[in-house]
Amino acid sequence: MVIKMADDLSRKELLELSDEEYEAYWADFLRRRVTELLQARDLSEHRVSLELGFSKGYLQGITSGKALPKYRKMMRICHYFDLLPGELFEPGLQS
């Protein structure tokens, strides 16, 4: 199954994904969203990772689609960008 971009899936289609496809869907969405936020502020993954107290390559793992953030780290990312958690999942919304 070819997974559509995050914005293109309906709720029904999302629920029909296998666990692997579901994880890939959210990894792609967060990869694009965090990249969008970094680019909008001309920030590097390395700098923001260190400012948040993460390992220097933590955000690079997210923006490359290789890793998903744990809940607490995702909340710290939201706070760094002055976003409420729900706003992180609204593409194009920039604080």
Side-chain angles (χ1 to χ4, degrees):
M1 172 182 200
V2 174
I3 299 176
K4 298 178 190 177
M5 296 305 278
D7 322 355
D8 297 334
L9 289 179
S10 69
R11 286 182 187 213
K12 183 177 188 264
E13 290 173 312
L14 191 58
L15 292 172
E16 293 171 349
L17 296 177
S18 69
D19 289 345
E20 294 81 19
E21 292 168 332
Y22 189 79
E23 185 171 324
Y25 166 86
W26 285 112
D28 178 62
F29 179 86
L30 288 171
R31 175 190 63 77
R32 291 184 297 127
R33 182 64 169 131
V34 171
T35 298
E36 174 185 284
L37 292 166
L38 290 166
Q39 289 175 347
R41 292 163 180 78
D42 196 30
L43 295 168
S44 73
E45 299 149 330
H46 178 88
R47 175 183 166 187
V48 175
S49 287
L50 293 179
E51 288 180 3
L52 287 169
F54 302 160
S55 68
K56 64 183 178 182
Y58 187 81
L59 282 182
Q60 197 279 328
I62 294 169
T63 59
S64 69
K66 294 179 182 176
L68 285 169
K70 301 269 190 222
Y71 176 78
R72 287 183 184 177
K73 289 188 176 186
M74 189 166 53
M75 294 301 99
R76 292 185 67 176
I77 293 167
C78 288
H79 288 121
Y80 184 89
F81 289 109
D82 198 28
L83 296 171
L84 295 171
E87 293 171 331
L88 181 65
F89 296 95
E90 295 181 35
L93 179 67
Q94 299 181 12
S95 181

